[in-house]
Amino acid sequence: MEEKRIHNFNPGPAALPLPVLKEIQDSFLNFKGSGMSIIEISHRSPLFEEVLGDAIERTKRLLHLDDQYQVLFIQGGASLQFCMVPMNFIKVNESADYVNTGTWATKAIKEAQVLGKSVQVVASSEDRDYSYIPEDIQFNPDASYVHLTSNNTIKGTQWSKYPDTGGVPVIADMSSDFMSRPLDPSPFGMIYGGIQKNLGAAGVCLVILRKDMLDRIPEGLPAMLSYQTYASKNSLFNTPPCFAIYTVQLVLKWLEDTMGGLDRMSVINQRKAALIYEVLDSGDFYKGTVESGSRSLMNVTFRLPDRDLEKKFLDEAIKNDFTGLKGHRAVGGCRASIYNAVELSAVQALTDFMKTFAKKHG
Ligand SMILES: *Cc1c(COP(=O)(O)O)cnc(C)c1O
């Protein structure tokens, strides 16, 4: 029997491609003829090694990464990276530059400070409630790295072009726009992202590390908190979250083989976002919360004329099979998260619903 599926605009965990979910279902009891489930086999078996290897190879192909880069899987979510990054890469008497573009960036800064590391917030958009991406930033030429958040899931802003840091390695939290568009890896010393937004089932962080970054890592870190451990053991120092990595492999296969890679995915993502922004800009009923030029193609944030209408909108949306449209609890309003797996047809259905609602209540 075909299960009923609704239009899923959740911010994370979020929609996954239907063919991926079906493949998981089909092979769940008997993975590749083994007579066992993917969650019952050894992480050191050839069957799992193939899953891990394929996920790594596809990541490298999709992002055009050469052998300077290593692909790692680390548990603890993006939130653990907030502490591992400064722990591994800010040496004694050094300082790192951070750009503060919202909640997640603020958390990353706090975690560095908790460790007693020196950080400089070289730019912030707090003055206008994080509604824009800062420009013309002066970076410190001897900073250990520059940390930025490529897409701000909660406030709905996104870097459309990464800043020139004058050769200082950029470390980017790409949790909510990883693999949503093509990437020039050259400025990045490291890229990381929790996979539960655009790449798979919750439980692991995808980390891309430029190998020269390994030279900075101090001796004496706890094994599980050192990138060296993951890099030298191909993410198999201890038992990895096998199922989560398997879902990443399937999503990457879908991205590469079915969707035709990141150039094509990015065109579709632009069309989806444009459809919603068009509705926001077409009258006074809906109001986008982000300054033009900084708008996210992944998380579209907006308000209605008042809170009662916002509540009514969200209630009616649910009755019409649209879920996940409530803004983050810290900011209120509405947000449509339109990650890779959210189909154009779902976005079209949403914009039709939005237009009808505006006509009725505007
Ligand atoms: C969701 C999110 C996080 C937190 O991810 P966890 O995997 O839950 O730790 C961090 N950064 C950004 C940009 C996010 O969207």
Side-chain angles (χ1 to χ4, degrees):
M1 195 187 78
E2 202 58 28
E3 295 293 336
K4 182 182 165 183
R5 304 266 305 158
I6 63 174
H7 298 307
N8 184 351
F9 295 94
N10 277 331
L16 287 171
L18 191 55
V20 166
L21 296 176
K22 287 202 161 137
E23 185 167 346
I24 294 170
Q25 188 176 43
D26 287 347
S27 51
F28 196 66
L29 298 183
N30 183 3
F31 182 67
K32 301 239 158 128
S34 67
M36 295 175 283
S37 171
I38 179 74
I39 62 172
E40 296 178 303
I41 62 174
S42 168
H43 59 292
R44 308 214 181 270
S45 64
L47 273 177
F48 183 72
E49 273 180 6
E50 195 184 316
V51 168
L52 178 65
D54 192 54
I56 292 169
E57 284 312 308
R58 288 185 187 277
T59 300
K60 292 178 92 171
R61 277 202 301 274
L62 280 159
L63 296 175
H64 304 295
L65 305 176
D66 61 25
D67 286 337
Q68 280 188 83
Y69 291 90
Q70 210 168 346
V71 178
L72 311 173
F73 289 95
I74 302 179
Q75 298 189 61
S79 299
L80 184 65
Q81 298 306 305
F82 294 165
C83 102
M84 277 181 74
V85 165
M87 193 181 261
N88 281 259
F89 301 131
I90 308 179
K91 290 189 192 160
V92 183
N93 298 325
E94 281 186 359
S95 173
D97 286 356
Y98 277 71
V99 182
N100 186 359
T101 49
T103 313
W104 296 115
T106 304
K107 288 192 178 184
I109 293 163
K110 272 208 187 111
E111 289 293 281
Q113 288 166 337
V114 161
L115 293 168
K117 299 285 185 177
S118 163
V119 298
Q120 287 208 44
V121 180
V122 287
S124 167
S125 51
E126 192 180 4
D127 58 341
R128 295 203 296 279
D129 196 23
Y130 300 113
S131 61
Y132 69 102
I133 297 289
E135 279 177 48
D136 304 324
I137 305 168
Q138 292 297 312
F139 296 100
N140 291 299
D142 45 6
S144 314
Y145 57 82
V146 171
H147 182 278
L148 56 85
T149 314
S150 67
N151 183 73
N152 297 280
T153 327
I154 295 173
K155 294 290 184 180
T157 61
Q158 185 177 26
W159 295 80
S160 55
K161 190 173 160 284
Y162 295 111
D164 181 1
T165 58
V168 177
V170 176
I171 296 186
D173 174 1
M174 290 197 186
S175 293
S176 50
D177 66 354
F178 225 156
M179 309 265 188
S180 68
R181 54 183 178 179
L183 180 83
D184 167 15
S186 53
F188 297 98
M190 182 179 138
I191 298 168
Y192 67 94
I195 64 162
Q196 69 274 18
K197 282 154 190 154
N198 224 359
L199 291 174
V204 76
C205 200
L206 179 56
V207 174
I208 293 163
L209 194 60
R210 206 172 63 203
K211 284 179 185 161
D212 62 278
M213 298 294 287
L214 290 169
D215 303 336
R216 300 166 168 259
I217 300 175
E219 295 286 318
L221 290 182
M224 291 298 285
L225 296 176
S226 169
Y227 292 108
Q228 197 76 57
T229 305
Y230 298 86
S232 63
K233 303 284 188 207
N234 194 29
S235 304
L236 290 170
F237 170 73
N238 72 330
T239 318
C242 299
F243 181 76
I245 294 172
Y246 168 60
T247 64
V248 174
Q249 183 222 353
L250 293 184
V251 169
L252 297 179
K253 183 160 74 120
W254 170 82
L255 261 176
E256 216 181 357
D257 301 351
T258 306
M259 300 311 287
L262 298 188
D263 289 305
R264 280 197 57 207
M265 192 69 246
S266 146
V267 170
I268 298 170
N269 285 335
Q270 286 172 41
R271 281 182 64 196
K272 283 166 14 190
L275 279 175
I276 305 181
Y277 285 118
E278 238 170 71
V279 174
L280 302 187
D281 293 339
S282 65
D284 298 333
F285 190 74
Y286 300 104
K287 200 167 175 301
T289 61
V290 168
E291 297 180 15
S292 66
S294 300
R295 286 171 154 184
S296 168
L297 301 182
M298 293 280 105
N299 309 95
V300 180
T301 50
F302 56 96
R303 311 283 325 207
L304 273 69
D306 60 56
R307 273 163 201 246
D308 289 344
L309 276 172
E310 275 170 0
K311 188 176 177 309
K312 205 174 171 62
F313 175 81
L314 294 168
D315 287 348
E316 272 194 37
I318 287 177
K319 284 189 200 127
N320 285 277
D321 286 342
F322 299 100
T323 194
L325 292 169
K326 200 170 162 50
H328 189 271
R329 59 188 185 283
V331 300
C334 305
R335 167 178 57 175
S337 298
I338 47 174
Y339 302 122
N340 287 350
V342 176
E343 291 179 19
L344 184 63
S345 59
V347 174
Q348 278 161 342
L350 173 64
T351 51
D352 287 346
F353 170 76
M354 288 173 74
K355 286 179 206 164
T356 308
F357 189 88
K359 234 184 232 156
K360 212 159 94 190
H361 300 282

